[in-house]
């Protein structure tokens, strides 16, 4: 088993090196390859959206009002079949207060198709809600009242808070890169992508890992964060305008001292925020001042300056 893992790792590293070589020897082909990956990964990079909010109570360890925001998120996979567990993602509990009232908010995300199907079937909707409650109980050692009511508002708290909470959920960067490398073939690399041999794009293709919990027909996507203190790198974010002073794009320059390979960088961009994590050393999360076109976003890494440059065209406003 160990020798098999080592052999796979060797093959993965060889493919990754080929990708780096392609960036130097055939930038145009490398650019095409990355653009294709960006197109396919766009859906997985979409941010979660609120679907409905329900109110119940935490009974133990301390009695408190609980709001559960059920959200739809394209990053969450659909069940493999009707007999397979339903994947979901659970954010961390957050305590909030309005005047003297203190309550807890927990965000839960399902695939949009799962929630849309449940909208047409009250029994299925109740099952999803009860499964979310059960998962919350198991994950946080809570005892909940399973009596609930759906509120008139779709979300408790701000949408931005919900997105930040759920999008903290990341699979380990190394595993992501290895999963991506395993899916690359030499033919793909040769027939494929950024425009200067000294610049290397980095694309994060999220592939959430799931853990199967016995006795619960739920696959829960891990919400554990890396327990390493990560430094916030120096950066510069500016909006570039055309000759008529009409904003065209945003350009982000991030200084990453000590980093010499693009393979250490994980980049995730949505329309309104950006996350960069680098080799468990640097972490930068930014809320973007304007909506950007994620499909046309590009990134390049300048080895000599250890600088990552992300170019994000703005969404056109008509």
């Amino acid at each position: 088993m160990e020798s098999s893992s080592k052999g796979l790792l060797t093959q993965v590293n060889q493919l990754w090196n080929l990708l780096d070589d392609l960036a130097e020897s055939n930038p145009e082909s490398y650019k095409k390859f990355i653009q294709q990956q960006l197109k396919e990964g766009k859906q997985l990079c979409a941010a979660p959206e609120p679907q409905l909010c329900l109110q119940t109570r935490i009974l133990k360890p301390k009695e408190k009002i609980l709001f559960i925001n059920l959200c739809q998120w394209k990053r969450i996979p659909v069940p493999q079949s009707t007999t397979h567990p339903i994947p979901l993602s659970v954010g961390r509990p957050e305590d909030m207060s309005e005047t003297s009232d203190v309550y807890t908010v927990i965000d839960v995300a399902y695939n949009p198709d799962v929630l849309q199907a449940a909208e047409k079937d009250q029994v299925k909707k109740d099952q999803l809600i009860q499964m979310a409650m059960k998962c919350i109980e198991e994950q946080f050692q809570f005892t909940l009242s399973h009596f609930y009511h759906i509120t008139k508002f779709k979300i408790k708290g701000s949408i931005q808070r919900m997105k930040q909470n759920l999008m903290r959920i990341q699979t380990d960067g190394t595993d992501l890169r290895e999963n991506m490398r395993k899916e690359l073939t030499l033919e793909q690399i040769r027939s494929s992508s950024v425009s200067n041999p000294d610049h290397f794009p980095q694309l994060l293709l999220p592939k959430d890992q799931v853990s199967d919990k016995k006795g619960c027909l739920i696959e829960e996507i891990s919400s554990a964060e890396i327990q390493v203190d990560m430094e916030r790198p120096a950066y510069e974010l500016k909006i570039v305008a055309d000759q008529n002073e009409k904003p065209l794009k945003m350009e982000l320059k991030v200084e990453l001292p000590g980093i010499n390979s693009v393979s250490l960088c994980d980049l995730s961009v949505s329309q309104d925020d950006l996350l960069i994590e680098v080799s468990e050393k640097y972490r930068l999360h930014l809320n973007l001042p304007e909506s950007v076109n994620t499909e046309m976003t590009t990134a390049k890494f300048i080895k000599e300056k250890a600088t990552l440059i992300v170019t994000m065209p703005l969404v056109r406003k008509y």
Side-chain angles (χ1 to χ4, degrees):
M1 180 70 176
E2 183 176 349
S3 60
S4 175
S5 298
K6 287 182 178 179
L8 180 59
L9 182 59
T10 299
Q11 184 179 7
V12 163
N13 286 330
Q14 288 174 344
L15 289 174
W16 198 249
N17 289 334
L18 284 172
L19 191 59
D20 279 344
D21 291 341
L22 182 65
E24 295 185 0
S25 63
N26 193 340
E28 187 60 32
S29 184
Y30 183 73
K31 182 179 180 179
K32 290 179 181 178
F33 175 77
I34 290 298
Q35 286 177 339
Q36 179 63 27
Q37 298 302 308
L38 277 168
K39 184 177 180 180
E40 294 176 358
K42 180 183 177 182
Q43 178 171 294
L44 293 176
C45 292
E49 299 294 337
Q51 178 79 9
L52 64 87
C53 177
L54 59 100
Q55 180 177 338
T56 184
R57 297 191 68 83
I58 299 173
L59 302 179
K60 295 179 181 179
K62 183 179 180 180
E63 190 166 348
K64 196 183 302 183
I65 293 173
L66 172 66
F67 290 96
I68 301 175
N69 293 322
L70 283 192
C71 307
Q72 52 176 292
W73 197 5
K74 293 180 180 178
R75 187 177 296 185
I76 308 300
V78 295
Q80 296 179 36
S81 72
T82 55
T83 60
H84 280 77
I86 300 174
L88 59 80
S89 177
V90 180
R92 291 184 172 183
E94 295 189 15
D95 289 333
M96 300 182 182
S97 63
E98 293 176 2
T99 63
S100 59
D101 296 326
V102 179
Y103 56 87
T104 298
V105 176
I106 298 178
D107 306 299
V108 177
Y110 287 100
N111 182 276
D113 292 345
V114 172
L115 288 177
Q116 288 170 13
E119 278 296 314
K120 305 171 185 176
D121 188 327
Q122 187 58 42
V123 174
K124 287 184 178 179
K125 180 187 289 189
D126 182 69
Q127 288 174 343
L128 291 181
I129 291 172
Q130 294 295 338
M131 283 194 294
M133 288 182 167
K134 183 66 175 175
C135 196
I136 290 170
E137 288 181 318
E138 291 184 357
Q139 183 165 333
F140 303 114
Q141 287 76 55
F142 288 167
T143 299
L144 304 183
S145 166
H146 282 248
F147 292 97
Y148 66 87
H149 74 271
I150 295 175
T151 64
K152 294 181 179 179
F153 43 86
K154 279 190 172 184
I155 186 171
K156 189 68 172 179
S158 71
I159 293 179
Q160 187 61 33
R161 180 212 59 79
M162 174 273 291
K163 289 181 179 180
Q164 290 177 350
N165 190 3
L166 285 173
M167 294 183 78
R168 287 190 189 124
I169 300 170
Q170 301 288 329
T171 54
D172 181 83
T174 302
D175 290 341
L176 280 171
R177 286 189 293 276
E178 289 181 2
N179 283 333
M180 181 179 174
R181 293 174 202 168
K182 290 175 194 173
E183 294 170 4
L184 300 177
T185 66
L186 185 58
E187 183 178 355
Q188 280 180 304
I189 293 173
R190 285 177 174 164
S191 63
S192 28
S193 4
V194 94
S195 59
N196 187 306
D198 294 324
H199 297 162
F200 297 81
Q202 169 61 29
L203 172 65
L204 172 67
L205 297 180
K207 184 177 182 181
D208 295 292
Q209 294 176 323
V210 295
S211 58
D212 190 10
K213 294 194 173 184
K214 293 181 179 179
C216 184
L217 287 179
I218 303 173
E219 283 183 350
E220 177 201 336
I221 296 177
S222 174
S223 60
E225 293 183 55
I226 298 172
Q227 300 299 313
V228 177
D229 291 330
M230 300 173 76
E231 181 182 345
R232 183 181 174 90
Y235 70 92
E236 177 188 5
L237 179 65
K238 64 180 180 180
I239 296 179
V240 180
D242 62 13
Q243 58 185 3
N244 298 318
E245 298 186 356
K246 179 181 178 181
L248 289 179
K249 61 185 178 181
M250 274 187 280
E251 187 175 272
L252 173 68
K253 294 182 180 179
V254 186
E255 297 178 10
L256 303 170
I259 302 302
N260 56 15
S261 173
V262 69
S263 64
L264 301 175
C265 304
D266 286 336
L267 169 65
S268 178
V269 182
S270 72
Q271 275 200 343
D272 52 17
D273 71 351
L274 170 147
L275 175 65
I276 298 172
E277 290 184 324
V278 185
S279 189
E280 300 185 6
K281 187 174 182 181
Y282 298 108
R283 185 179 192 276
L284 177 65
H285 179 258
L286 297 176
N287 294 318
L288 302 175
E290 299 284 348
S291 295
V292 299
N293 186 330
T294 56
E295 188 171 6
M296 299 301 294
T297 293
T298 60
K300 56 188 178 183
F301 184 76
I302 304 175
K303 287 184 177 180
E304 294 80 4
K305 297 182 179 180
T307 300
L308 181 69
I309 300 177
V310 184
T311 303
M312 300 166 282
L314 301 181
V315 174
R316 293 182 178 180
K317 297 179 180 179
Y318 297 96

